[in-house]
Amino acid sequence: MFCHLTPRPRNAEATRAAILNAARERFARESYDDVGMRDIAGDVGVDAALVSRYFGSKEELFEVVLDSCDNGGELMNGDRATFGQRVAREVVFERKSEGKLKGLLILLRSISSTRAMEVVQRGANARFYGPFTEWVGGPDAAVSARLAAGFIMGMAVSREITGGYGFSEEQCERMVDRLAVMLQDIIDG
């Protein structure tokens, strides 16, 4: 039996983007260990060798996928003095973007894979915790950055797995007020 693939137009940038998108979707649905380069290639309709040519190994592709997802860098956009209020409002009221949700799913599905967790940890430290720690500043910046990030992630996961908080507008505003104080206290150390 032969499989007929419809030829894609030769556009390297479009093909690379299609492969990256297919990989992001696969890693969001399946664990790192269950995803194969041939699976991703098949999703796009290209040869697996082309995936390797564009991205190298599966580990390198996984790293590019993680980099393509929202990484929390927006936490550092804005005045440090308003961090708590700004982030609390986002955590309570703003729905997560599809990119953030995919990134979260990829991270959660990667926990069981030693190789994937090495890539996640390396990237998280270099691209998020390091810059966030520097942004927080001060003698206890690393501890504050970890506490804030863990608290924010926990609240975001809680909201997503329960489909929201199920609170009235008034309750959500009270939650924002209390959360803002806690987050600002963590950052201010």
Side-chain angles (χ1 to χ4, degrees), residues 8 14 26 40 49 51 57 65 69-70 74 82 85-87 98 106 111 116 118 122 138-139 164-165 181-182:
R8 295 179 61 83
R26 279 278 177 174
I40 294 165
V51 178
S57 68
V65 165
C69 297
D70 292 334
E74 72 278 355
T82 62
Q85 185 65 32
R86 184 170 36 86
V87 174
E98 188 174 327
I106 291 167
I111 290 171
E118 289 170 3
R122 199 171 48 242
Y165 298 116
V181 171
M182 288 185 270

Side-chain angles (χ1 to χ4, degrees), residues 149-164:
F151 202 92
I152 293 163
M153 282 189 274
M155 291 297 295
V157 168
S158 170
R159 181 186 68 203
E160 294 306 321
I161 63 173
T162 60

Side-chain angles (χ1 to χ4, degrees), residues 32-52:
Y32 175 87
D33 293 332
D34 291 339
V35 174
M37 297 289 263
R38 284 192 173 102
D39 299 324
I40 294 165
D43 292 345
V44 180
V46 299
D47 189 84
L50 189 60
V51 178
S52 295

Side-chain angles (χ1 to χ4, degrees), residues 5-79:
L5 297 177
T6 305
R8 295 179 61 83
R10 290 184 183 254
N11 179 333
E13 191 174 310
T15 301
R16 187 179 193 286
I19 292 168
L20 179 59
N21 187 56
R24 190 181 307 109
E25 293 297 321
R26 279 278 177 174
F27 286 124
R29 284 192 322 266
E30 302 171 37
S31 72
Y32 175 87
D33 293 332
D34 291 339
V35 174
M37 297 289 263
R38 284 192 173 102
D39 299 324
I40 294 165
D43 292 345
V44 180
V46 299
D47 189 84
L50 189 60
V51 178
S52 295
R53 186 176 333 142
Y54 282 123
F55 295 98
S57 68
K58 179 170 122 177
E59 186 175 314
E60 290 168 313
L61 174 58
F62 185 67
E63 190 170 350
V64 173
V65 165
L66 290 174
D67 287 346
S68 75
C69 297
D70 292 334
N71 65 8
E74 72 278 355
L75 293 177
M76 297 169 266
N77 295 338
D79 186 358

Side-chain angles (χ1 to χ4, degrees), residues 59-122:
E59 186 175 314
E60 290 168 313
L61 174 58
F62 185 67
E63 190 170 350
V64 173
V65 165
L66 290 174
D67 287 346
S68 75
C69 297
D70 292 334
N71 65 8
E74 72 278 355
L75 293 177
M76 297 169 266
N77 295 338
D79 186 358
R80 192 176 175 284
T82 62
F83 176 84
Q85 185 65 32
R86 184 170 36 86
V87 174
R89 188 152 293 286
E90 179 182 331
V91 166
V92 173
F93 286 111
E94 291 183 27
R95 296 295 299 160
K96 289 293 180 199
S97 70
E98 188 174 327
K100 284 184 182 178
L101 289 176
K102 278 211 177 36
L104 181 59
L105 284 172
I106 291 167
L107 292 175
L108 292 174
R109 293 198 196 292
S110 302
I111 290 171
S112 64
S113 170
T114 303
R115 182 171 296 282
M117 280 312 297
E118 289 170 3
V119 174
V120 168
Q121 290 167 355
R122 199 171 48 242

Side-chain angles (χ1 to χ4, degrees), residues 128-140:
F128 176 72
Y129 285 112
F132 190 41
T133 297
E134 189 174 312
W135 183 83
V136 169
D140 220 15

